[in-house]
Amino acid sequence: MSIRKSRNYFSPEYMSQQKGKDMGYGLHPLDDYLRKDRIPHIWCPGCGLGVVLSSFLRALENTGIPMEKTAVVSGIGCTGRVAGYLNIDSFHLTHGRAIPFATGLKIGNPHMMTTVFSGDGDLFAIGGNHFIHAARRNVDFNVICVNNFNFGMTGGQSGPTTPTEATTTTTPFGGFEHPFNLPGVAAGSGAVYVARWTTYHVEALINSLEEALNKKGFCFIEVLAPCPTGYGRRTGQKTGKDTMKYYRDNSRIEHGADPTKVSLDGGEIVVGKFVDRDAPTYQERRGEIFQAIRDKMGVK
Amino acid sequence: MKPGTYFMDGNTACAEAAIAVGCTFFASYPITPATEILERMALRFPEIHGSYLQMEDELASIAAIMGASWAGRKAMTSTSGPGFSLMMENYGFALMTETPCVIVNVMRGGPSTGLPTMVAQGDVMQTRWGTHGDVGVVVYCPASPQEMFDLTVEAFNTAEKYRLPVVLLSDAMVAHMTEKVVIPSKEELTVVDRKKPTTSPDDYLPYCPDEDLVPPMACAGEGFGIHVTGLTHDERGYPSVDEETQTYLVTRLINKIRKNSHDILRYEEYRTEDADVIVVAYGSVSRSAREAVDMAREEGMKVGMLRPVTIWPFPEDRIGELAINGLKAFLVAEINFGQMVYEVQRCTEGHCPTYLSPRMGGSIHTPEELVERLYGIYHHEGEEGAP
Ligand SMILES: Cc1ncc(C[n+]2csc(CCOP(=O)(O)OP(=O)(O)O)c2C)c(N)n1
Ligand code: SF4
Ligand SMILES: [Mg+2]
């Protein structure tokens, strides 16, 4: 522990010393997917982000999609740091702008299997407008939202998913705003695949991610994850384990549940796959119309 | 479009130039007086296999063209002041991550919603300093529909060559006027494409520059496993939040423009050889200034015009040179309360006075009023209380 605190793992000197060396963490089956020279990561002990990331990588591996055809786009936040640890084409955008960037990337190169990986604040506060419009367009990419009910990176402020009464650094006397019900927002905006899991439901999460990766169109997966540092310690869940227990004791799996009726207001957590439907993607619709115009004009 | 001579408005010429130079991705949000660019793209993109998107706002437009640029496309967006203000954060991201793209800002009267349909030149300093942090930028200022075409081509070429977002800073007058526009043939058109890496993915350092300070660019899907971040990053593209990396990176980004400004800088001089007073004007105002110079010459005044075509980088050496060599004065005519005038003043280093002919927006200076102003300066400069 003491070494961790005193050494600057991100200094150029340290990194150049470590280049090509076995970092002493042993080999992990998913190591190839990570930029090993960027490990250790910045996330806190007990944070749920590692679970979501490894679930994503497992799902990716299961799909067999080649790494060079995979891109991840993140915004700003603790979750936004995911992009920087992946050994694939990865983009760490400005706060809230991962989705429109991914829209350009995916439409610019339709062969890239593109996933947006970001936090609740990034995707639904500053980036909320982009989310609903990308879902409406049904652009073919996936959005994974790690919902830790707060702005972790900036030190535990309340955000658009914070339960009303929770105490945070910006709601020291409890809040008074209603949180978003993310699956409801996604489904109402046109997402073709909508699911919610927690970091307690790892196997189901991996399956769901794999389904989303293989599915055409705008797919949305919300993953509830502990943030002991920013959120848990002010809301009675001091460790990541406390939050995991809370997920275990309060979750109910209900596939096909009405996504408008799965609000999280501090009580039961309904998890499962809520929407899985087929609809022509933005690219398909546009391709068809543009082709018809070209045919009419007699151009190739 | 087929090469040839057309009667065309500035916005259409801009859209056609983008298509001619290989732009296949366009994302924008409607706003007067730039909307015709978007409408033209919507009409023309099916036949060129382009991707055109009307985004939900300008924050999204600029993010989308950056995404497309990293997908290997030449990409452009168009807007006016209110939208340009919204783009400032990602203008900085594109500069920091060296993302080639073109942003067209057709200026209208501001601040705020201002005069949506009328001309102004209030965004000069915003293009230079509008994003946070210290940056080097390239901004072109067209003065005619023909230049809307030519400088759009040049903006793309500069963006690709030096890997940065380039701004085409037009104004409502130039964008909406209809004039003769010559569209060159493919052979006559210069098209520059970004440098690609020549090393293997294992040896590739995405932010290691060549001698020209520009790093070769690998895009998504090319097998290089790139990482792109707006955080201060080292040559691997990895975040490295320390002073040393910051100094190295920001210095290079600024020097990339400064050390190549001999290649980027463009300005036009009109009848300046023997001039005693020089009008500095750009965009639509330069059209009045040109006329004013001719009229003043007829009245026996030796005056000329210097027109920055790139306003950033600014023709600072040339202005300094003119100031030292016995010029009586500069007169800067711009549709704002004085923005470029401070640059001119700085470059003269006190060797000659700099006057301002301001205008608040809504119309351009008339040649007559400029001649009147020139008359005062020409005949009374140096006298007490003049001009
Ligand atoms: C334009 C802008 N505003 C504010 C910030 C500061 N900021 C950084 S991260 C963040 C919140 C992130 O919250 P979330 O997306 O939930 O990510 P988490 O850290 O919880 O994973 C904020 C407000 C910023 N970087 N940029
Ligand atoms: S602040 Fe919260 S979200 Fe961020 S790393 Fe720590 S535990 Fe994870
Ligand atoms: Mg969060």
Side-chain angles (χ1 to χ4, degrees), chain B residues 135-157:
Chain B
V135 293
V137 300
V138 178
V139 179
Y140 291 93
C141 239
S144 63
Q146 181 67 55
E147 272 198 347
M148 286 289 279
F149 187 95
D150 297 342
L151 295 181
T152 300
V153 170
E154 210 165 311
F156 267 102
N157 288 343

Side-chain angles (χ1 to χ4, degrees), chain A residues 90-160:
Chain A
S90 55
F91 301 88
H92 180 217
L93 258 283
T94 41
H95 197 20
R97 314 302 163 217
I99 284 182
F101 183 94
T103 302
L105 188 76
K106 177 68 192 189
I107 293 173
N109 181 352
H111 305 297
M112 291 308 283
M113 207 286 303
T114 304
T115 300
V116 170
F117 210 124
S118 218
D120 47 275
D122 186 77
L123 290 167
F124 290 97
I126 195 164
N129 196 36
H130 305 311
F131 180 89
I132 58 175
H133 285 279
R136 172 179 67 80
R137 287 187 192 105
N138 198 22
V139 186
D140 180 19
F141 60 76
N142 316 301
V143 176
I144 301 170
C145 174
V146 177
N147 182 3
N148 53 21
F149 301 105
N150 83 121
F151 289 7
M153 172 66 86
T154 40
Q157 295 79 25
S158 78

Side-chain angles (χ1 to χ4, degrees), chain A residues 42-49 77-79 148 150-153 155-156 226-231:
Chain A
I42 62 161
W43 296 318
C44 307
C47 176
L49 278 163
C78 295
T79 316
N148 53 21
N150 83 121
F151 289 7
M153 172 66 86
C227 168
T229 311
Y231 185 70

Side-chain angles (χ1 to χ4, degrees), chain B residues 289-308:
Chain B
R290 191 183 306 272
E291 180 94 18
V293 165
D294 289 344
M295 286 162 65
R297 286 259 172 192
E298 265 169 40
E299 290 181 29
M301 290 182 267
K302 284 198 241 167
V303 298
M305 174 179 74
L306 187 143
R307 176 172 75 94

Side-chain angles (χ1 to χ4, degrees), chain A residues 15 35 89 92 94 137 294, chain B residues 46 56 90 221 225 228-229 236:
Chain A
M15 300 227 277
R35 295 181 191 272
D89 292 327
H92 180 217
T94 41
R137 287 187 192 105
R294 282 193 293 271
Chain B
E56 52 274 18
N90 274 337
V228 177
T229 177
R236 295 170 300 178

Side-chain angles (χ1 to χ4, degrees), chain A residues 15 35 37 68-69 84 88-92 94 100-101 104-105 107-108 112 130 133 137 282 286 294 297 300, chain B residues 46-47 49-57 63-64 67-68 73 90 93 220-221 225-229 236 238:
Chain A
M15 300 227 277
R35 295 181 191 272
D37 48 355
E68 64 273 16
K69 290 292 161 220
I88 55 174
D89 292 327
S90 55
F91 301 88
H92 180 217
T94 41
F101 183 94
L105 188 76
I107 293 173
M112 291 308 283
H130 305 311
H133 285 279
R137 287 187 192 105
Y282 170 89
R286 195 201 59 190
R294 282 193 293 271
M297 293 173 79
K300 276 211 187 117
Chain B
E47 61 185 289
H49 291 263
S51 299
Y52 132 86
L53 277 137
Q54 181 174 325
M55 297 305 286
E56 52 274 18
D57 56 32
R73 302 292 197 102
N90 274 337
F93 183 90
I226 46 172
H227 180 59
V228 177
T229 177
R236 295 170 300 178
Y238 290 4

